[in-house]
């Protein structure tokens, strides 16, 4: 099969964390599809990776480039910031087999306020969440972040938050910063629980929250509880393909974000999983039964090690 992969940071020449994580995810996916004998093409402004054929793109023409390439491919997958992902996913879905979430599911997950409300209505634990203009308790510790955003972008701990027009404030929950990676579709296949390495100081007002790396798998006797919560959340949101569910594990699992696309944890998971992620994505996309997986060992990385 001919597979199109498009990661936005690589495709448009972004820099910093976006490019580090984006290139790592793109390379991981391209190498997996290539090992199974598939032909891979990927969009890029100038960065090249080991596997696949590059197709030149830029911020100005990325939509047209994806549309043209998708028509020539048997399946496609796009990774992009939340505010851009729905539109690019729609282009993939209109022109080839989409291996990721539907545009509608992406739109819901990408809107952190709407996503939180839907999860709460589904009976899942979420932090108290406030939009601009809503009356908040006078005391407490809060996390302010963009309503649409990723990679811990513009995310801070605040004691008396003044919520910007494009931001939300969520209750700061004490607990372990984890994520669940799973494949969603006709059936749901949990892959791993991951420990997120976060730089965070809740005692300091206006301190930035930074993602620093990951350890996978994270061993816990509450693994099944975490898997059950992640599966219920992705069912409620109509997710498909690889999804990462960010959770704070305190007295119970609180869902803080649902990522409707491959996440950086995938870089580690593919090092310790006995099945190719490409096989899982393709079987899921075509509605086939997913194989059982086996996780052996442990893999850790820091953001800097992705270079």
């Amino acid at each position: 099969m001919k597979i199109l992969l498009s990661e936005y940071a690589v495709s448009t020449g972004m820099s910093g964390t976006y490019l580090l994580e984006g290139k790592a995810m793109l390379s991981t996916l391209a190498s997996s599809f290539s090992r199974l004998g598939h032909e891979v093409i990927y969009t890029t402004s100038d960065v090249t990776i080991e596997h696949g054929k590059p197709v030149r793109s830029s911020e100005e023409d990325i939509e047209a480039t994806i549309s043209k390439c998708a028509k020539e491919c048997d399946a496609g997958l796009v990774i992009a910031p939340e505010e851009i992902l729905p539109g690019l996913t729609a282009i993939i879905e209109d022109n080839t087999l989409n291996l990721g979430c539907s545009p509608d599911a992406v739109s819901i997950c990408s809107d952190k306020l709407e996503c939180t409300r839907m999860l709460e209505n589904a009976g899942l634990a979420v932090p108290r969440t406030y939009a601009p203009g809503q009356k908040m308790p006078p005391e407490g510790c809060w996390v302010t972040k963009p309503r649409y955003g990723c990679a811990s972008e513009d995310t801070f701990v605040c004691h008396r938050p003044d919520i910007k027009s494009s931001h939300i404030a969520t209750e700061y929950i004490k607990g372990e910063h984890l994520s669940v990676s799973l494949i969603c579709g006709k059936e749901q296949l949990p892959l791993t629980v991951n420990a997120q390495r976060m730089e965070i100081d809740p005692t300091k007002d206006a301190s930035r929250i930074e993602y620093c790396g990951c350890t996978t798998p994270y061993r816990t006797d509450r693994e099944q509880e975490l898997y059950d919560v992640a599966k219920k959340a992705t069912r409620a949101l109509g997710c498909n393909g690889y999804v990462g569910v960010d959770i704070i594990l305190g007295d119970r699992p609180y869902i803080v974000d649902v990522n409707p696309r491959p996440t950086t944890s995938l870089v580690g998971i593919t090092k310790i999983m006995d099945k190719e992620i490409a096989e899982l994505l393709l079987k899921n996309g075509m509605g086939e039964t997913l194989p059982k997986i086996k996780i052996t060992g442990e893999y850790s990385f820091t953001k800097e090690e992705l270079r």
Side-chain angles (χ1 to χ4, degrees):
M1 296 178 69
K2 188 174 183 179
I3 309 295
L4 168 63
L5 299 174
S6 182
E7 195 290 317
Y8 192 79
V10 172
S11 300
T12 62
M14 296 177 72
S15 59
T17 295
Y18 286 113
L19 182 59
L20 283 179
E21 297 185 30
K23 182 182 177 183
M25 289 185 283
L26 176 65
S27 181
T28 296
L29 288 163
S31 60
S32 182
F33 281 104
S34 295
R35 281 193 294 270
L36 293 181
H38 300 291
E39 179 185 357
V40 174
I41 63 172
Y42 64 93
T43 55
T44 179
S45 63
D46 59 7
V47 173
T48 57
I49 56 176
E50 182 178 358
H51 297 279
K53 177 183 177 182
V55 176
R56 294 298 172 185
S57 61
S58 66
E59 185 175 3
E60 291 72 29
D61 67 9
I62 184 60
E63 293 186 358
T65 302
I66 289 176
S67 179
K68 180 178 183 299
C69 292
K71 289 182 174 71
E72 303 168 357
C73 290
D74 301 299
L77 181 63
V78 64
I79 305 171
E82 267 74 354
E83 64 272 22
I84 300 166
L85 187 56
L88 297 183
T89 300
I91 295 172
I92 290 286
E93 193 157 281
D94 287 345
N95 291 285
T96 190
L97 173 64
N98 176 24
L99 298 179
C101 284
S102 70
D104 287 344
V106 171
S107 294
I108 294 169
C109 294
S110 299
D111 182 341
K112 291 178 170 55
L113 183 61
E114 178 62 22
C115 182
T116 298
R117 300 289 184 241
M118 287 192 66
L119 294 174
E120 188 173 29
N121 290 337
L124 291 154
V126 294
R128 288 181 294 166
T129 301
Y130 294 87
Q134 288 185 304
K135 186 176 181 180
M136 296 177 58
E139 304 295 334
C141 188
W142 306 89
V143 174
T144 62
K145 56 186 177 182
R147 183 169 173 173
Y148 303 89
C150 61
S152 299
E153 173 195 9
D154 200 17
T155 302
F156 296 87
V157 173
C158 296
H159 297 165
R160 297 179 181 275
D162 179 17
I163 310 174
K164 300 177 185 177
S165 61
S166 59
H167 285 53
I168 60 173
T170 65
E171 178 185 12
Y172 176 79
I173 303 291
K174 293 181 180 179
E176 298 170 282
H177 292 257
L178 307 176
S179 69
V180 173
S181 299
L182 66 166
I183 302 294
C184 307
K186 186 174 69 174
E187 56 184 304
Q188 291 172 301
L189 176 65
L191 304 179
T192 55
V193 175
N194 317 298
Q196 307 280 45
R197 298 183 185 180
M198 307 298 293
E199 185 177 294
I200 181 170
D201 182 1
T203 66
K204 185 179 178 182
D205 191 25
S207 60
R208 182 180 291 275
I209 298 176
E210 295 277 4
Y211 171 79
C212 300
C214 174
T215 296
T216 186
Y218 174 75
R219 306 293 183 184
T220 171
D221 56 8
R222 298 176 70 179
E223 179 182 82
Q224 192 57 52
E225 179 186 8
L226 291 162
Y227 283 161
D228 289 345
V229 165
K231 289 195 289 186
K232 185 175 180 180
T234 52
R235 277 196 299 267
L237 299 170
C239 294
N240 185 72
Y242 177 102
V243 180
V245 181
D246 293 342
I247 293 172
I248 302 295
L249 184 59
D251 60 321
R252 49 185 169 161
Y254 292 84
I255 299 178
V256 294
D257 207 359
V258 178
N259 301 288
R261 52 170 175 75
T263 62
T264 316
S265 297
L266 184 62
V267 175
I269 295 169
T270 56
K271 306 287 188 184
I272 56 174
M273 184 170 64
D274 68 336
K275 295 291 188 294
E276 292 286 354
I277 188 63
E279 177 188 0
L280 301 181
L281 290 172
L282 285 171
K283 284 184 176 296
N284 185 71
M286 292 184 283
E288 299 178 8
T289 300
L290 297 177
K292 293 182 179 180
I293 64 163
K294 182 179 180 181
I295 300 296
T296 304
E298 178 184 286
Y299 191 86
S300 298
F301 63 86
T302 65
K303 189 165 60 176
E304 287 70 26
E305 289 170 342
L306 295 177
R307 294 182 186 276

